[in-house]
Amino acid sequence: MSATPDELKYSADHVWIRMEDDFIGVCGLTDHAQEQLTDIVFVELPEIDTDVRQGERLAVVESVKATTNVNAPVSGRIVEVNTALEDSPGVINADPYGDGWIFKIDVKGRVEYDDLMDADQYRAQVE
Amino acid sequence: MKRIVIIGFGSAGYAAFTAARKTDPKAAITVIDPKARDLMHPCGLPYALEGRADPARLEQDVHLDKAGVIRIRARATRIDADAKRIITDAGDTEGGVPYDAAIICTGSAPVLPPVPGIERLRNRGLYTLATMDDCNRIMERIEGASDCLIIGAGAIGLECAVALRARGRAVHLAEMRDQVLPGVIDADLAAPVAEHLTLRGIAFHLGAAVGEVLGEDAFAGARIGDSRITASLCIAATGFAPHTELARESGIECGPRGIVVDDSLRTALPDVYAAGDCIVAWSVIDKKPVGAKLATSAYKQGTVAGANAAGGAMTYAGTAGAFVTVLGDLEIAGAGYTTEAARAAGYEPVSGKISAPVLPDYIPDGHAITVKILADRATGRLLGAQAVGPAGAAARINVASAAIEFGKTLDDLERVELAYCPAVSEVHDPLLRAADFARRRMPKR
């Protein structure tokens, strides 16, 4: 049974987002996604200062079994990436909502953010 | 008829003899070496300690007389370059052994760690491991020893530790650096090796130097950092120093790592070559000096030196440093630079690493292997490779070593199609996946 924290918002592509303040959102892959992938062996991170549109692929996560794209949950600009994942990609499996965060985005699409799924809606989608 | 004299008969000397003979079948070859038997295989010594190899079979005669070779059982002491004669300590070669070309293959000897008073205990419970005499002394001492200390976590120290554990002894191992196999694999690959060996009962003291050795008439223990351990057998496996006495005596330029040679393996003396552990070897990647002293490099160098001494024109491009050791259930292999060595050589390395099952998941009891590839961030040129796993590490490193030897890049390596069947590997091999990860870490073009 995968975890889906109530305080986060979710995209249909299995990306969660948590607002650090009024502007910056921290994002990563959901517990459901990492479970499906199994052992993650490689993360290709986006470049800082990249502008992205909602749904655009900005990172790639590869496991022993499969490769998945990580798409931008909202439009914005990448301000920080979790470089620790370069040496320890498995942290996404171990702590997908904490140390396994993948990128931080300066959110431009406020309406897009409001329209994202809440925890109940995401749970309904994946179960 | 050319007179070729080979001084020292180990891997380099033997290879030199074979190459000289092939290059000039008419040459008169003389081998000067003090050993009673022609050849001795030091890499087999830890296996003899373990009881896996018969020590008697580590020495061998190769019937040099049948090959028309003159065998002088002595130690060469000086090369008289003016008279072109080699002076030895044997009485019956007064005036020296004349040569047209000479090849110095004097090898190396173990060094003891710089612990006060350690020299006093040499061969009294405390040993190095390089000769048959060392082996016999240790085998005798093992009988009465229950606790043992190994100093040094290089391949030889670790192989000895595993050998002594296999014989039921309690084993401590002290290593100055923070990891096993320092300078040979990266710390992140070394950690699971240390864990595996700890589960096998080896008590590691990493990041700890031996401060004091204990015992009056014989080794009785040591102080390692703040701990005191009691042991009646100690094997010091703390590196080798080249035998450069002959070269220095003869006025040949030497550095701290050995005799200086050019890429035809010529020394500063005309018609005098050198090969093996006694020389300063260099990396095939960038020609920088490397400390590794491998039997395979010695053999290659001996071949070049022997051929050239006999009139050939070969060159030695340097070593890719490929090695493997088997410790317990793990095969550990590597080639080229570690991350630390790559940085020290002035590169900014990019790496790709994967730990993945080797076999398809529908084959039961498959094992996992960890492979790490290093390349130059700017050019993608391969700088190093390391692999750890129950099997298949050396096989993968051999591919990487060949690629390093020929100056290939990550893109080149990824093109290689490897042999596959479900009993042996997966369609997309971890070696190639690691190369792919490294390439994707390079700056986007």
Side-chain angles (χ1 to χ4, degrees):
Chain A
M1 211 40 181
S2 53
T4 307
D6 288 327
E7 68 276 16
L8 306 179
K9 300 266 274 176
Y10 299 85
S11 74
D13 303 322
H14 310 287
V15 175
W16 57 265
I17 180 167
R18 179 180 71 244
M19 296 307 292
E20 272 190 342
D21 55 33
D22 285 344
F23 307 101
I24 310 293
V26 187
C27 304
L29 279 179
T30 62
D31 190 30
H32 169 83
Q34 71 78 14
E35 249 177 21
Q36 296 281 299
L37 285 168
T38 72
D39 297 331
I40 291 169
V41 291
F42 186 74
V43 180
E44 206 171 316
L45 294 167
E47 299 216 354
I48 293 181
D49 284 342
T50 315
D51 285 316
V52 292
R53 287 189 326 274
Q54 186 184 45
E56 199 179 312
R57 183 187 84 172
L58 47 72
V60 179
V61 169
E62 197 165 321
S63 73
V64 289
K65 277 176 58 170
T67 300
T68 195
N69 294 331
V70 180
N71 300 329
V74 294
S75 305
R77 171 174 294 182
I78 306 299
V79 295
E80 204 180 324
V81 296
N82 187 357
T83 53
L85 295 178
E86 281 176 354
D87 283 334
S88 307
V91 173
I92 296 178
N93 296 116
D95 190 10
Y97 299 110
D99 289 337
W101 67 273
I102 301 175
F103 61 92
K104 295 188 187 179
I105 185 167
D106 183 353
V107 179
K108 300 282 191 280
R110 300 313 314 223
V111 175
E112 292 167 346
Y113 175 83
D114 293 333
D115 285 346
L116 288 173
M117 285 186 270
D118 62 23
D120 286 329
Q121 291 167 318
Y122 181 72
R123 266 183 227 117
Q125 178 184 291
V126 300
E127 271 138 44
Chain B
M1 189 179 60
K2 198 158 194 189
R3 292 163 304 181
I4 300 173
V5 181
I6 299 170
I7 305 165
F9 206 61
S11 294
Y14 181 78
F17 150 65
T18 319
R21 177 55 90 235
K22 267 194 260 188
T23 306
D24 182 355
K26 295 204 177 64
I29 300 178
T30 301
V31 166
I32 303 174
D33 185 289
K35 294 199 302 295
R37 309 286 297 281
D38 291 336
L39 279 180
M40 190 259 154
H41 304 292
C43 303
L45 288 168
Y47 297 83
L49 288 187
E50 195 181 334
R52 268 175 76 176
D54 176 2
R57 301 200 54 189
L58 293 182
E59 290 182 301
Q60 196 187 350
D61 289 317
V62 292
H63 308 295
L64 289 172
D65 53 339
K66 291 205 176 69
V69 172
I70 298 167
R71 175 84 168 83
I72 299 176
R73 262 177 196 81
R75 180 164 272 113
T77 53
R78 188 169 63 86
I79 299 172
D80 181 341
D82 298 321
K84 291 196 93 169
R85 285 174 169 271
I86 297 164
I87 318 297
T88 76
D89 62 3
D92 59 339
T93 52
E94 291 285 347
V97 181
Y99 69 89
D100 295 309
I103 310 165
I104 304 174
C105 305
T106 46
S108 63
V111 288
L112 288 179
V115 182
I118 194 169
E119 190 60 54
R120 178 177 59 83
L121 293 174
R122 191 196 276 265
N123 293 337
R124 289 143 132 210
L126 184 147
Y127 311 93
T128 54
L129 183 60
T131 66
M132 285 310 297
D133 284 341
D134 293 332
C135 184
N136 295 330
R137 289 185 197 114
I138 294 171
M139 302 275 266
E140 217 182 291
R141 185 83 181 177
I142 285 178
E143 294 308 315
S146 58
D147 290 68
C148 307
L149 170 67
I150 310 287
I151 309 178
I156 296 172
L158 292 172
E159 286 171 10
C160 288
V162 170
L164 293 173
R165 269 309 289 147
R167 297 192 55 176
R169 272 52 183 183
V171 178
H172 289 261
L173 191 149
E175 162 58 52
M176 241 168 40
R177 300 278 307 270
D178 285 327
Q179 60 167 93
V180 298
L181 298 168
V184 152
I185 57 175
D186 284 356
D188 56 331
L189 266 74
V193 175
E195 265 171 53
H196 176 73
L197 294 177
T198 303
L199 287 174
R200 286 191 153 231
I202 294 168
F204 283 100
H205 305 256
L206 297 178
V210 173
E212 204 187 330
V213 283
L214 311 167
E216 280 303 310
D217 300 316
F219 179 80
R223 191 174 46 75
I224 308 166
D226 291 326
S227 322
R228 254 176 91 102
I229 65 121
T230 307
S232 49
L233 166 63
C234 178
I235 300 178
T238 47
F240 289 79
H243 271 307
T244 52
E245 302 86 347
L246 170 69
R248 288 178 199 277
E249 224 12 68
S250 313
I252 295 174
E253 186 192 350
C254 298
R257 280 203 181 115
I259 302 171
V260 177
V261 293
D262 65 13
D263 62 2
S264 300
L265 299 185
R266 283 186 292 239
T267 69
L269 280 188
D271 301 312
V272 177
Y273 300 80
D277 279 5
C278 63
I279 73 164
V280 188
W282 55 92
S283 166
V284 74
I285 297 169
D286 55 16
K287 314 298 181 205
K288 294 195 160 86
V290 290
K293 301 217 180 265
L294 298 166
T296 41
S297 306
Y299 195 92
K300 281 281 166 55
Q301 292 158 16
T303 301
V304 171
N308 290 351
M314 287 182 74
T315 52
Y316 180 64
T319 179
F323 78 90
V324 59
T325 179
V326 175
L327 302 170
D329 293 326
L330 287 182
E331 189 180 295
I332 301 124
Y337 287 132
T338 58
T339 298
E340 200 180 311
R343 291 203 176 110
Y347 295 97
E348 202 195 323
V350 70
S351 72
K353 176 179 156 188
I354 186 171
S355 290
V358 171
L359 306 182
D361 53 19
Y362 54 82
I363 301 286
D365 302 327
H367 60 271
I369 194 167
T370 302
V371 182
K372 186 173 187 179
I373 304 277
L374 297 173
D376 177 23
R377 194 174 157 78
T379 62
R381 172 140 187 226
L382 290 166
L383 296 178
Q386 302 158 32
V388 177
R396 289 170 174 82
I397 292 306
N398 283 341
V399 176
S401 179
I404 290 169
E405 178 82 34
F406 300 121
K408 296 303 178 188
T409 64
L410 292 167
D411 285 337
D412 296 324
L413 181 60
E414 280 184 77
R415 287 170 51 191
V416 178
E417 292 175 17
L418 303 173
Y420 150 73
C421 80
V424 170
S425 51
E426 255 282 34
V427 175
H428 193 192
D429 193 88
L431 172 71
L432 303 179
R433 294 188 74 183
D436 174 47
F437 294 166
R439 187 179 45 75
R440 285 151 74 184
R441 293 239 168 83
M442 289 176 61
K444 306 229 183 314
R445 298 168 249 214

